Amino acid sequence: MRKNIVAGNWKMNKNFADAEALMIQLLEYKKNNTTNCEVYIAPPALYLTTAKDIFKNGEVEVFAQDVSEYQSGAYTGEISVEMINSIGIDGSLVSHSERRQYHGETDSHANRKVKALLDAGLTPIYCNGETLEQRKAGQHFEVVKNQTEVALFTLSADEIKKVVIAYEPVWAIGTGETATPEQAQEIHAHIRSLIAAKYGQEVADEISILYGGSVKPDNAKEIFSQPDIDGGLIGGAALKIEDFSKIIEGFNP
Ligand code: PGA
């Protein structure tokens, strides 16, 4: 059975003291509550070691927000898969739309980063999704199909099973505008059917597909109740324990 996951993407937010305080609040929350999903966070890279220390018993899995596709060498400012692996990090986001928008990332980069993470035994959370123009032009199914194929379809069945996919329509990220549960569900079902056509239904059924884009405490439960939505990648609402914990509780009966 595939996992339900609520993952917080902290982006470029919080100084060290505030980041540490939020991690401690999240640890307390995890100790005092039973959750019906896995909880992940992707804090800024600078705080990954601290996060691993705080969540030393694996209460929350810790992810990088990006990794280099290269192994090592003259890539100033980059962080390698081996580096995050050597401090016990569980995986990384790959090709978040902000990496695509501001750093020119494409699905070919995503493909190499996903493979590098899998080769090291780490979990990629591969992000895709259409822009507003593409949705208005009715191209969203086609765009997501191309993205998924280029980024993931060179993987073996055993490899793709270990990837977490996050569908994040660009027009819904940080805008307060959420895809309706039906709009999200139909793309999630589409992604799962593409994987089923290539790798078989059994493989497709094992892959967690998260929705991202203005998930909030008041819409999480309805979004998570869709059959092909296995959780969320949360930006703004992951920065406050009150909001993030309520989103986690979207999986409570
Ligand atoms: P948001 O961001 O929840 O602030 O819309 C989601 C994301 O970018 O992962």
Side-chain angles (χ1 to χ4, degrees):
M1 266 298 287
R2 58 186 183 253
K3 291 179 194 164
N4 291 327
I5 300 164
V6 171
N9 172 12
W10 292 12
K11 310 191 182 185
M12 195 174 72
N13 291 296
K14 295 194 183 287
N15 64 27
F16 177 69
D18 293 343
E20 192 183 34
L22 179 56
M23 288 175 201
I24 292 168
Q25 288 175 326
L26 185 56
L27 179 65
E28 285 307 308
Y29 175 79
K30 278 288 293 183
K31 281 188 181 160
N32 296 319
N33 295 274
T34 314
T35 53
N36 293 312
C37 60
E38 312 265 320
V39 179
Y40 300 171
I41 58 166
L46 200 54
Y47 310 148
L48 289 173
T49 318
T50 303
K52 258 342 256 195
D53 285 346
I54 291 176
F55 302 111
K56 55 178 164 298
N57 298 316
E59 297 90 346
V60 167
E61 289 195 21
V62 179
F63 282 70
Q65 295 177 9
D66 183 36
V67 278
S68 175
E69 64 184 89
Y70 303 109
Q71 280 192 333
S72 66
Y75 301 101
T76 301
E78 294 289 282
I79 294 170
S80 72
V81 169
E82 192 195 347
M83 289 173 192
I84 63 167
N85 199 13
S86 69
I87 59 164
I89 298 305
D90 296 286
S92 179
L93 304 183
V94 173
S95 297
H96 185 277
S97 73
E98 289 145 20
R99 301 295 315 169
R100 295 172 186 261
Q101 191 178 347
Y102 306 124
H103 302 274
E105 273 203 38
T106 65
D107 285 288
S108 312
H109 296 107
N111 177 259
R112 295 190 288 274
K113 292 182 179 194
V114 164
K115 182 73 175 134
L117 285 158
L118 291 171
D119 285 348
L122 304 188
T123 302
I125 303 179
Y126 161 69
C127 308
N128 66 15
E130 80 285 356
T131 63
L132 185 59
E133 295 67 43
Q134 290 165 333
R135 175 152 290 253
K136 280 188 178 154
Q139 296 165 345
H140 38 297
F141 286 97
E142 194 57 28
V143 166
V144 171
K145 176 174 187 278
N146 288 337
Q147 291 175 328
T148 307
E149 285 177 354
V150 173
L152 302 183
F153 281 13
T154 57
L155 301 175
S156 70
D158 276 346
E159 286 173 331
I160 199 169
K161 275 190 211 171
K162 296 177 188 141
V163 177
V164 174
I165 298 174
Y167 166 63
E168 301 202 302
V170 178
W171 48 271
I173 295 178
T175 58
E177 193 173 333
T178 327
T180 65
E182 295 73 26
Q183 281 173 324
Q185 165 57 27
E186 67 179 4
I187 298 283
H188 282 232
H190 173 60
I191 294 171
R192 206 180 300 286
S193 75
L194 293 168
I195 297 168
K198 169 131 178 111
Y199 294 97
Q201 192 64 46
E202 225 175 288
V203 172
D205 284 341
E206 277 195 47
I207 297 179
S208 297
I209 309 180
L210 315 183
Y211 168 78
S214 299
V215 178
K216 304 284 178 227
D218 62 359
N219 61 23
K221 201 177 184 78
E222 199 188 353
I223 293 170
F224 298 165
S225 69
Q226 300 296 314
D228 287 291
I229 301 183
D230 309 307
L233 181 56
I234 320 300
L239 298 173
K240 277 201 215 137
I241 191 66
E242 298 77 24
D243 292 344
F244 195 53
S245 59
K246 286 199 190 90
I247 291 172
I248 292 168
E249 287 159 16
F251 276 110
N252 290 0

